[in-house]
């Protein structure tokens, strides 16, 4: 990582006063800017997100990706996802069950049946919030009504799609042997109901959610603290987060108490002491726990929860991440000294991990709105989330491996309902949720994405840009009357100098990467800000291995585009993408780059498309074309090069 990108522990935790904490700024509110809540957080927000509907995406890669996501969501059949929920409630199913982890016959012991419905409910709720398209609200309303019917028929409030029915949770709660991750699966349904309530305003969604949560309160009450913590050794998603959310939505302290019980002390305690014990742990099991720590902090002001979440972020982002912002190998954290042994795996960068890291980043930004959080958000958004979607079909990746000459594999539409398929339903629905933030008298511009944000009635700011193909952006005010406001424009970490012009005149020349350029003035209708953000081609070394490098241009990872050699024409690459490393196993000789990074950069020549370059190579090719990784699909690629 670049020097300016790294957050020192001292800077990140400035003002905390060590593990005990001191001056803390704000909570980690998630989606609740959308609707009013019953309770007021103990810790006030430093900055707030805009409602999804207050930001409109304009033409560009993110709008295109969202449209693909819309089409996929509308292609799915709610009744197929509801199949086993109805069976377990004693009701007749209305359609056959889907495949993948939803298939009882094939995946009876994984115990993820039903997770897809939760993700789908969240995805449709987010799409409705972002677009206002009534089709997505209708989907949400239908699923909520069906789940309520299941609750009434089942009489306990519990909702599951496990093949054993609701009896599986009895085994979980009594310490008997079981397989899979039941609490993880239930969490997805809890979260879907929360999002349906928040983004669509459906009152029945809250009714179903409260009944569902009341079951959890009653069912877990007999467990001692020791028994509860033993139960948390298995993956349980973000149960602490969603219970804290429900406390804020209802004011019922029982849910906050349960949220605290769902905090896994074996993870919380070392993080609160700023000790990294992540080696060997399943990565995406831990991130939702940390999101929950942050969420409970906002309700209680317990400083160790904030310290733990901020330290976790700093540790993962600055010491454990690949150039694309993701991390891990075969879903697990590995020792930071072992990067060279893991970098060329086909099973690196599980997409779910960045889904959750972006949630955590967004929450932490609201606590302490520093440019470093926005820098990481941009890096992971382009190089992992946007890159995870098939531009032809809208399907998504599970892993995004670094094996030289490998290629992205995508899920199938109805038989690959893995975890990353589920988070993929949400990823492409919320691109407009972190472009802008608002503080007291201030508007933060974090991302350079074509969009329109509504500050107040009759006051909008339109951002037009072709970034990253254009090294800058333009913002124009439309307002019926003058408005005094401070605009805070991010000077990103990858840009040495940045220049802002207002109505054609230079207003700011910044030489402080990873900072905000502040422009306080009275803005009038038609005022225009133009921002120049020069980009450079750079080599980024792998942590601890200077001879293994990736290439970036500005924030964009450039991968070697190796074409489709050895791939049969018309080959279906929408397959079981969890088989990364099991398919395309035939030997493939990728080109070789020689020399030191600085010498290679001097030999780079622009290609015929924006953001693309040629580098001299040896071995299987005499040159290599570097192209934006997020654009490469159905072709072999190289992200990291071991320099000869």
């Amino acid at each position: 990582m670049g020097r300016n990108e790294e957050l020192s522990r001292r800077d990140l935790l400035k003002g905390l006063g060590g593990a005990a904490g001191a001056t803390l700024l704000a909570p980690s509110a998630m989606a609740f800017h959308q609707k009013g809540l019953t309770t007021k957080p103990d810790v006030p927000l430093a900055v707030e997100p805009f409602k999804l509907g207050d930001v409109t995406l304009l033409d560009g890669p993110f709008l295109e990706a969202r449209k693909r996501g819309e089409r996929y969501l509308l292609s799915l059949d709610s009744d197929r996802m509801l199949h086993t929920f109805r069976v377990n409630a004693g009701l007749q199913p209305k359609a056959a069950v889907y495949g993948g982890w939803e298939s009882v016959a094939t995946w009876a012991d994984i115990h993820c049946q039903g997770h897809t419905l939760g993700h789908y409910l969240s995805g449709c709720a987010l799409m409705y919030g972002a677009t206002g398209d009534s089709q997505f609200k209708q989907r949400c309303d239908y699923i909520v009504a069906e789940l309520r019917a299941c609750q009434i028929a089942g009489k306990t409030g519990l909702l599951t799609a496990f093949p054993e029915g609701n009896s599986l949770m009895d085994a979980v709660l009594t310490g008997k042997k079981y397989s899979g991750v039941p609490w993880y699966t239930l969490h997805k349904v809890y979260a879907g109901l929360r999002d349906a309530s928040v983004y669509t305003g459906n009152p029945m969604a809250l009714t179903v959610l409260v009944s569902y949560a009341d079951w959890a309160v009653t069912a877990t009450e007999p467990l001692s603290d020791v028994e509860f913590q033993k139960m948390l050794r298995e993956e349980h998603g973000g149960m602490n987060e969603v219970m804290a959310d429900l406390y804020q939505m209802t004011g019922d302290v029982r849910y906050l108490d349960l949220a605290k019980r769902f905090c896994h002390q074996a993870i919380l305690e070392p993080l609160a002491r700023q000790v990294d014990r992540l080696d060997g742990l399943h990565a995406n099991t831990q991130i939702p726990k940390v999101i929950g720590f942050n969420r409970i902090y906002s309700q209680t002001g317990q400083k160790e929860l904030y310290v733990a979440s901020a330290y976790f972020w700093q540790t993962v982002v600055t010491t454990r991440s690949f150039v694309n912002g993701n991390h891990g190998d075969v879903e697990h954290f590995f020792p930071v000294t072992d990067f060279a042994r893991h970098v060329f795996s086909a099973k690196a960068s599980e997409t779910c991990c960045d889904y959750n890291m972006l949630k955590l980043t967004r929450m932490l930004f609201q606590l302490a709105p520093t440019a470093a959080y926005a820098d990481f958000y941009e890096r992971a958004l382009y190089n992992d989330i946007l890159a995870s979607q098939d531009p032809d079909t809208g399907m998504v990746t599970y892993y995004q491996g670094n094996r030289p000459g490998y290629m992205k594999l995508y899920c199938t539409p109805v038989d690959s309902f893995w975890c990353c398929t589920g988070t993929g339903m949400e990823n492409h629905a919320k691109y407009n949720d972190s472009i802008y933030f608002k503080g007291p008298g201030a508007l933060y511009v974090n991302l350079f994405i074509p969009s329109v944000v509504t500050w107040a009635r009759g006051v909008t700011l339109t951002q037009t840009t072709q970034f990253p193909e254009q090294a800058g952006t333009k913002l124009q005010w439309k307002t019926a009357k003058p408005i005094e406001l401070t605009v805070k424009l991010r000077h990103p970490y990858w840009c040495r100098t940045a220049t802002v012009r207002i109505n054609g005149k230079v207003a700011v020349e910044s030489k402080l990467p990873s900072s905000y350029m502040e422009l306080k003035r009275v803005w009038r209708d038609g005022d225009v800000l133009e921002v120049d953000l020069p980009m450079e081609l750079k080599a980024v070394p792998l942590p601890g291995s200077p001879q293994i490098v990736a290439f970036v241009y500005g924030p964009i990872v450039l991968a070697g585009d190796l074409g489709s050699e050895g791939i049969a024409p018309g080959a279906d690459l929408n397959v079981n993408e969890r088989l990364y490393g099991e398919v395309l196993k035939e030997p493939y000789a990728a080109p070789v780059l020689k020399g030191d990074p600085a010498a290679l950069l001097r030999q780079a020549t622009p290609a015929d498309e924006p953001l693309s370059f040629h580098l001299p190579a040896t071995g299987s090719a005499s040159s290599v074309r570097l192209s934006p990784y997020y654009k490469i699909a159905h072709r072999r690629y190289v992200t990291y090069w071991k320099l000869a």
Side-chain angles (χ1 to χ4, degrees):
M1 305 189 187
R3 176 173 55 86
N4 291 319
E5 186 180 0
E6 296 184 7
L7 265 180
S8 70
R9 183 180 307 176
R10 180 184 62 192
D11 291 338
L12 180 65
L13 301 179
K14 185 178 181 180
L16 288 177
T23 304
L24 298 172
L25 296 178
S28 53
M30 38 79 59
F32 296 122
H33 56 282
Q34 203 73 7
K35 298 287 179 182
L37 295 180
T38 299
T39 66
K40 183 179 180 180
D42 281 6
V43 185
L45 286 169
V47 296
E48 297 181 3
F50 285 86
K51 295 179 182 179
L52 285 177
D54 285 345
V55 180
T56 302
L57 293 183
L58 302 177
D59 288 343
F62 292 100
L63 180 58
E64 292 171 2
R66 192 183 73 191
K67 287 179 177 178
R68 287 188 287 267
E70 291 177 47
R71 290 193 292 270
Y72 178 53
L73 290 177
L74 293 176
S75 75
L76 296 174
D77 184 345
S78 302
D79 284 324
R80 295 191 68 178
M81 287 178 277
L82 286 159
H83 174 102
T84 316
F85 287 96
R86 289 184 61 85
V87 170
N88 288 350
L91 302 173
Q92 185 69 26
K94 299 179 180 180
V97 71
Y98 273 128
W101 281 347
E102 298 303 320
S103 172
V104 173
T106 308
W107 297 90
D109 64 345
I110 193 70
H111 292 129
C112 278
Q113 295 88 355
H115 84 111
T116 301
L117 180 78
H119 283 299
Y120 184 73
L121 194 52
S122 290
C124 287
L126 288 162
M127 279 296 190
Y128 177 68
T131 68
D133 187 334
S134 62
Q135 295 179 91
F136 295 107
K137 177 169 169 51
Q138 290 165 7
R139 295 288 177 107
C140 291
D141 291 348
Y142 179 78
I143 292 171
V144 166
E146 286 289 300
L147 291 177
R148 184 57 180 159
C150 291
Q151 280 187 328
I152 293 170
K155 299 181 180 179
T156 66
L158 175 60
L159 295 163
T160 80
F162 302 133
E164 300 90 342
N166 297 345
S167 63
L168 175 64
M169 293 309 299
D170 293 335
V172 174
L173 292 161
T174 55
K176 296 177 183 177
K177 187 177 181 180
Y178 67 92
S179 62
V181 287
W183 275 119
Y184 166 93
T185 305
L186 264 58
H187 165 253
K188 305 303 171 270
V189 183
Y190 278 108
L193 288 165
R194 173 203 62 199
D195 292 340
S197 174
V198 168
Y199 289 102
T200 75
N202 183 339
M204 187 181 290
L206 184 58
T207 299
V208 178
L209 179 56
V210 164
S211 180
Y212 202 9
D214 286 346
W215 166 83
V217 169
T218 302
T220 59
E221 190 173 17
L223 273 66
S224 69
D225 289 344
V226 171
E227 291 169 331
F228 208 110
Q229 288 298 309
K230 183 178 179 180
M231 183 175 67
L232 298 185
R233 294 174 185 173
E234 299 299 330
E235 188 173 11
H236 50 274
M239 285 299 300
N240 52 357
E241 177 207 13
V242 79
M243 287 298 159
D245 292 339
L246 187 56
Y247 163 67
Q248 190 174 345
M249 296 169 78
T250 65
D252 190 331
V253 74
R254 295 179 305 145
Y255 306 135
L256 180 59
D257 291 340
L258 185 55
K260 294 176 181 178
R261 296 196 81 191
F262 265 110
C263 286
H264 192 192
Q265 296 301 314
I267 301 301
L268 173 59
E269 290 176 2
L271 289 175
R273 291 185 284 109
Q274 299 179 43
V275 174
D276 179 356
R277 291 183 179 168
L278 298 177
D279 289 352
L281 295 183
H282 185 261
N284 200 48
T285 295
Q286 316 316 321
I287 309 170
K289 298 175 187 177
V290 177
I291 290 170
F293 300 160
N294 195 293
R295 189 74 184 105
I296 297 169
Y297 163 71
S298 73
Q299 300 297 337
T300 65
Q302 291 178 249
K303 296 173 184 177
E304 68 273 15
L305 296 170
Y306 178 80
V307 174
S309 59
Y311 174 74
F312 176 87
W313 185 93
Q314 180 253 346
T315 297
V316 173
V317 169
T318 65
T319 69
R320 292 184 173 272
S321 293
F322 296 111
V323 69
N324 68 342
N326 212 320
H327 52 264
D329 184 14
V330 196
E331 304 186 9
H332 286 70
F333 289 119
F334 51 80
V336 295
T337 55
D338 288 354
F339 260 101
R341 291 203 304 112
H342 291 274
V343 65
F344 296 123
S345 169
K347 294 186 177 182
S349 297
E350 181 191 7
T351 308
C352 277
C353 291
D354 260 352
Y355 160 88
N356 277 312
M357 282 301 294
L358 289 186
K359 284 185 66 174
L360 178 61
T361 303
R362 183 175 183 269
M363 296 163 84
L364 286 166
F365 181 81
Q366 293 176 81
L367 288 155
T370 61
Y373 289 128
D375 286 339
F376 173 76
Y377 200 100
E378 175 187 62
R379 172 179 151 206
L381 190 70
Y382 278 94
N383 301 308
D384 190 274
I385 300 302
L386 185 61
S388 71
Q389 188 191 59
D390 182 348
D392 294 339
T393 66
M395 300 300 99
V396 295
T397 60
Y398 194 109
Y399 297 112
Q400 295 187 59
N402 297 317
R403 179 185 292 178
Y406 216 69
M407 61 199 315
K408 299 174 189 174
L409 301 178
Y410 304 98
C411 67
T412 58
V414 298
D415 292 306
S416 304
F417 288 115
W418 326 125
C419 53
C420 296
T421 311
T423 54
M425 294 178 182
E426 301 178 45
N427 279 330
H428 309 288
K430 55 182 180 178
Y431 282 128
N432 49 348
D433 79 352
S434 293
I435 304 172
Y436 309 98
F437 288 84
K438 53 186 173 181
L443 172 68
Y444 289 76
V445 180
N446 276 4
L447 301 174
F448 313 118
I449 293 176
S451 54
V452 180
V453 60
T454 299
W455 172 265
R457 180 175 295 182
V459 182
T460 62
L461 185 66
T462 298
Q463 182 172 188
T464 54
T465 182
Q466 293 181 334
F467 183 87
E469 295 183 359
Q470 169 192 346
T473 190
K474 183 173 78 171
L475 302 108
Q476 182 167 356
W477 285 100
K478 183 177 181 181
T479 177
K481 57 182 180 181
I483 179 172
E484 184 174 359
L485 195 65
T486 300
V487 175
K488 297 190 177 186
L489 295 164
R490 181 172 62 97
H491 178 174
Y493 70 97
W494 44 263
C495 180
R496 294 187 188 184
T497 62
T499 304
V500 182
R501 295 186 299 277
I502 299 178
N503 300 330
K505 296 181 179 180
V506 173
V508 174
E509 291 182 302
S510 172
K511 295 182 180 179
L512 293 174
S514 196
S515 67
Y516 281 97
M517 301 175 286
E518 299 189 10
L519 300 105
K520 183 178 181 179
R521 59 177 279 154
V522 175
W523 301 97
R524 292 176 169 78
D525 188 55
D527 280 348
V528 174
L529 296 91
E530 294 174 284
V531 189
D532 294 329
L533 302 167
M535 295 192 280
E536 297 178 68
L537 181 63
K538 298 178 182 179
V540 181
L542 189 73
S545 301
Q547 286 303 109
I548 301 176
V549 302
F551 294 98
V552 297
Y553 189 67
I556 305 303
V557 173
L558 302 182
D561 186 345
L562 305 184
S564 55
E565 179 185 344
I567 306 299
D572 184 7
L573 296 175
N574 292 101
V575 297
N576 179 352
E577 79 289 3
R578 297 186 71 240
L579 296 179
Y580 255 86
E582 304 302 320
V583 298
L584 301 175
K585 291 195 294 184
E586 72 283 1
Y588 180 83
V592 176
L593 300 184
K594 287 186 175 182
D596 66 85
L600 276 171
L601 293 176
R602 287 194 295 269
Q603 297 176 75
T605 57
D608 54 352
E609 293 182 358
L611 309 178
S612 296
F613 299 86
H614 291 293
L615 288 177
T618 61
S620 60
S622 59
S623 68
V624 167
R625 180 189 180 93
L626 299 179
S627 298
Y629 173 70
Y630 76 83
K631 290 186 175 184
I632 295 177
H634 310 297
R635 298 167 70 84
R636 296 182 185 273
Y637 63 81
V638 177
T639 48
Y640 275 98
W641 305 83
K642 188 173 184 178
L643 302 181

